[in-house]
Amino acid sequence: MSDTPSLHTDESRYSTAKLLRRLLALAWQFRVDCLLSLALSIILLLLGLVGLQLLGTAIDVIRHALDPTAVPPAYPFGWKPPANWSPLHVVTALSLAIVAQAVLRSVLTYSYNMTTVRLTQGKIVPELRGKLYSKIQRLSFRFFEVHGSSSIFNRLTGDVQNTRLFVDGVILQGLNMLITLAAYFLYMWKIQASLTLACLSVTIPLALVTHYYSNRLRPGYQKNRDLYDGLVEVFSQSVLGIQTVKGFAAESDRIKKFETGNRAVASQQQKIFWDLSVFTPITHFLSQLSLVILFAYGGWLYVQGRIPLGGGLVVFAGLLQQFTGQVANLSTIANSVQQSLTASKRVFEVLDTPIEVENNSNPVKPSRLKGNLVFDGVTFGYVPQTPVLKNLSFTAQSGQVIGIFGMTGAGKTSLLGLIPRFYDPQQGRILIDGMDLRDLDLDEYRRQIGIVYQESFLFSNTVAANIAFGSPYATQDQIEQAARAASAHDFIMALPKGYNTVLGESGADLSGGQRQRLALARALLLQPPILILDDPTASVDAKTEHEIVSALRHAMEGRTAFVVANRLSLLRRADRILVLEEGRLVQEGTHDQLAHIHGPYQDAAVLQLMDLAREERSAA
Ligand code: M5T
Ligand code: MG
């Protein structure tokens, strides 16, 4: 199971206090909606109290009617029934008021729920998700090297949801709980002070238990998210790599791996639920205990003649029940606190990741570039301590084709990656038309570079849309022209719907050579002054190679082109060839020059010529 390294090693940045502060700031951003939701819950609370009070009064009216020596009913809110009303009239009126109160409460509960959902799902979640997505899109490559796509997906989905839980599940519910408890407490205190204290004494152990479990739960949630990342990783890798999996008959292996992960997540989840399933009943038991105290101590008080047995006591019992119910809610809130802290840390980690390659404060927007490129003492490594390019210096004149040759792992792709500034060099600088790349506006600069990678990613979209990926306003004519230039037009026309054929996921229904030519068309459509080709003919047969090479010859005209290739067919046409060995520039010259100098290029040339001769002989 791949474990996900933390984005920030600096854990102090995510102390509980700091996380809480940021979550509160998030809630503050939506304060109007929060207040609205809170106001509704307070009205609901007051209505509930009114209902209880009316019930108590109704009971006293009945008792008094049956037994005139009992305490006379105290009417609430300064209301007095007209003198000519019989007790039946009064009770009917009170009952109607209770029903009206219940109806109003239902309506308000509905609006409360709607308000809260609009706040959480309609505002907070989309806002967070949008922020996260645009951050992820802007992050530099290194981020994606370190983090599996699954961890990123999970953060974007589940963790965003659990982060918003802090607003509705913690702040709103918590405030609601506090206000409710305070109101009930005062109300109960007014009815009978000592009984209130006795009944509420159970809240102390309740708070302690809650504190204990709350701390116990958090690491569990963190572990759970990490394990879940791993599980989704196994799954998504198997889907993306299904060809390899099947090709190596590795299905049962993968299934076993998934099962292991699956079980790990399950047992971890069970552990959390086990904790919860002990915790929740304890809180419920303690709340029930307060009712027992009410009966025992309340009964004793009655026997002592210190409280009457009337509506007041019914109201008291009702309040107590709701009070302890609210306190028992503590367990849910505590659980939500831990869940949202865990999740928000994972969300904030992404939001806090510095974008390594970024515009400086005052970037230059280049007009159309000429394409004079200079590498000046460039040293670069994916990990700073192990450079893969060492003190590299060369110049490419506008319009030149620069071939790059070297053994696998020599650093060719890495060199190409520095040109669009996917990474910044650790030492030295790269200049385009005399300007340091770091001073240019990244987007404007990159738009002037066409790239064809070793393996091209195609989107599940039409052929035309794939070609127009970098130039969304291109006309059909321009798209076809680019396709022709990449010798892709003919095979595209042979597809079932021509340019409107939708490609399967990852373009699975095209051959390697076809994919490369689509990618080339995509690059050419930009009309870029700089063209980067990373071994575009690596995966094609000789005939297609020939086609691509002649297409390229045309395509590279008038552009500064950097072509990585191992086949001489492409390199021969380069104005200059750079030979790399373990990240160093060891030879430089034209094909004709290099073919006559002893060195790696000559070795490769001889080998390829020998191969060619052998093939010709065996064909003859
Ligand atoms: C040069 C390492 C790689 C190798 C060295 C692209 C990439 C490479 N490397 C990383 O650590 N992370 C990366 O994202 O850098 O690799 P290269 O530049 O890819 O070599 P190449 O293009 O000449 O090789 P090839 O096989 O494409 O001909 O040590 O591990
Ligand atoms: Mg490469």
Side-chain angles (χ1 to χ4, degrees), residues 407-414 416 454 534-535 564:
M407 301 271 282
T408 174
K412 305 181 294 292
T413 299
S414 308
L416 293 185
Q454 253 168 322
D534 194 350
D535 218 351
V564 165

Side-chain angles (χ1 to χ4, degrees), residues 324-339:
T324 50
Q326 281 285 346
V327 175
N329 237 347
L330 254 182
S331 65
T332 315
I333 296 179
N335 190 21
S336 303
V337 170
Q338 299 311 330
Q339 259 181 307

Side-chain angles (χ1 to χ4, degrees), residues 95-258:
S95 306
L96 284 176
I98 291 173
V99 171
Q101 172 269 151
V103 170
L104 193 55
R105 258 164 69 102
S106 306
V107 173
L108 285 178
T109 303
Y110 171 79
S111 12
Y112 170 79
N113 288 340
M114 292 305 277
T115 313
T116 314
V117 168
R118 196 186 53 191
L119 165 64
T120 55
Q121 301 304 330
K123 294 189 179 173
I124 301 180
V125 167
E127 149 101 10
L128 268 181
R129 221 168 20 211
K131 249 196 192 155
L132 211 57
Y133 180 76
S134 39
K135 176 76 187 204
I136 290 170
Q137 282 289 294
R138 297 238 157 253
L139 278 170
S140 318
F141 279 93
R142 208 179 298 280
F143 173 81
F144 299 93
E145 283 159 19
V146 178
H147 293 283
S149 54
S150 317
S151 172
I152 301 176
F153 285 142
N154 289 341
R155 286 168 205 252
L156 198 67
T157 51
D159 289 321
V160 163
Q161 281 295 351
N162 283 345
T163 300
R164 70 91 190 127
L165 190 62
F166 188 82
V167 177
D168 59 331
V170 178
I171 297 192
L172 290 181
Q173 281 226 37
L175 282 176
N176 191 6
M177 187 183 84
L178 283 180
I179 295 171
T180 310
L181 291 184
Y184 285 1
F185 180 79
L186 288 178
Y187 216 118
M188 283 154 73
W189 185 267
K190 219 188 80 197
I191 297 175
Q192 228 300 328
S194 68
L195 189 57
T196 305
L197 289 182
C199 291
L200 297 189
S201 59
V202 297
T203 48
I204 295 166
L206 207 54
L208 291 177
V209 170
T210 305
H211 182 73
Y212 171 75
Y213 273 98
S214 181
N215 283 336
R216 230 183 115 95
L217 284 170
R218 174 111 164 257
Y221 280 122
Q222 176 71 48
K223 181 110 194 281
N224 187 265
R225 293 308 292 172
D226 290 347
L227 284 173
Y228 194 67
D229 278 357
L231 185 67
V232 178
E233 185 83 26
V234 175
F235 171 70
S236 71
Q237 296 268 308
S238 305
V239 171
L240 292 174
I242 189 72
Q243 269 193 337
T244 314
V245 171
K246 284 199 184 297
F248 286 83
E251 288 103 324
S252 46
D253 245 28
R254 299 297 297 183
I255 292 173
K256 231 179 270 157
K257 194 160 185 194
F258 188 81

